[in-house]
Amino acid sequence: MISAVASAALTPDPDCQLCPRLAAFRAAQRDAHADWFNAPVPSWGDAAPALLIVGLAPGLRGANRTGRPFTGDFAGDLLYRTLLKAGFAAGDYRADPGDSLELRGARITNAVRCVPPQNKPEGSELTACRRFLAAELAALPSRPRAILALGSIAHHQVLAVQGLRRADYPFAHGAMHTLPDGSLLADSYHCSRLNTNTGRLTAAMFEAVIGEISERLARA
């Protein structure tokens, strides 16, 4: 279990001011949509996961609206459908935090916890939010045996938290990197509508990555 003290350090304050641009954008969304979550989105899932999934940032009408990672937008539709198929989730996903979906052996977080304008966080924002990913990893009762990075930015954030060089672990869709501690860092293109609409990522491609992770965890 993650202790209450550790849990408090995993997520920024609802009015976090570490990133002025993101704080201003969040305030604007609160004015426009008072019934939305409009705060740094906490991680969600198994408290002792074998698999940690790291996304980019909350979507404006997805997690920023609902308060649960990848919930309420297309990326979540593909992600959770695939996790259900692979056995990393159970229940019904209805794009609502009140649905019956639960993660099993998996946990989801983001490289940046607040929604960025145009879904594009800046370098300083990635640096500022890196402390929360580091705290997430430190608070888990055991090291996840696999980390899935959704996109190159998430991949680089994971490496930075662990003090690893990008040149030693280049991002590529479907790449499976063994890290110095023996854990697996798996890469996938982000499951966004943009990537699927352009054909850069298909459902079959995404399922193949999740399937490979599942097989490797089963063999370990």
Side-chain angles (χ1 to χ4, degrees):
M1 295 289 292
I2 298 174
S3 71
V5 173
S7 180
L10 302 185
T11 302
D13 182 273
D15 292 310
C16 180
Q17 299 295 312
L18 286 174
C19 306
R21 187 182 75 115
L22 300 189
F25 189 62
R26 190 175 64 234
Q29 299 311 311
R30 286 176 177 173
D31 289 341
H33 307 284
D35 58 333
W36 287 11
F37 185 74
N38 289 321
V41 175
S43 305
W44 178 67
D46 198 317
L51 171 63
L52 178 66
I53 300 168
V54 183
L56 173 60
L60 177 60
R61 296 180 177 275
N64 180 66
R65 176 174 61 85
T66 65
R68 191 176 75 181
F70 287 88
T71 298
D73 55 18
F74 177 83
D77 294 344
L78 177 54
L79 174 62
Y80 289 125
R81 184 172 69 242
T82 306
L83 293 178
L84 283 162
K85 187 174 182 178
F88 286 112
D92 294 318
Y93 173 67
R94 296 194 302 272
D96 184 324
D99 60 24
S100 63
L101 184 72
E102 62 178 46
L103 297 184
R104 295 186 172 178
R107 187 172 180 84
I108 302 175
T109 191
N110 277 308
V112 171
R113 300 297 181 91
C114 294
V115 58
Q118 301 179 329
N119 204 35
K120 295 180 180 179
E122 296 180 346
S124 61
E125 293 158 358
L126 286 160
T127 300
C129 218
R130 196 170 292 154
R131 69 194 69 186
F132 300 108
L133 179 57
E136 183 87 28
L137 288 169
L140 293 174
S142 60
R143 187 78 167 181
R145 289 186 286 141
I147 296 176
L148 171 61
L150 299 178
S152 60
I153 292 177
H155 171 92
H156 294 151
Q157 192 83 325
V158 170
L159 294 179
V161 162
Q162 302 185 67
L164 300 174
R165 299 194 323 147
R166 295 184 185 183
D168 293 334
Y169 307 94
F171 175 85
H173 177 79
M176 300 282 160
H177 308 278
T178 301
L179 300 183
D181 64 0
S183 64
L184 176 71
L185 172 58
D187 293 338
S188 174
Y189 294 137
H190 195 285
C191 48
S192 66
R193 184 183 294 275
L194 174 62
N195 282 340
T196 56
N197 282 352
T198 59
R200 190 180 194 214
L201 179 70
T202 65
M205 290 168 62
F206 192 58
E207 288 178 8
V209 173
I210 300 290
E212 176 69 14
I213 294 170
S214 182
E215 289 178 7
R216 291 190 178 220
L217 288 175
R219 293 197 302 264

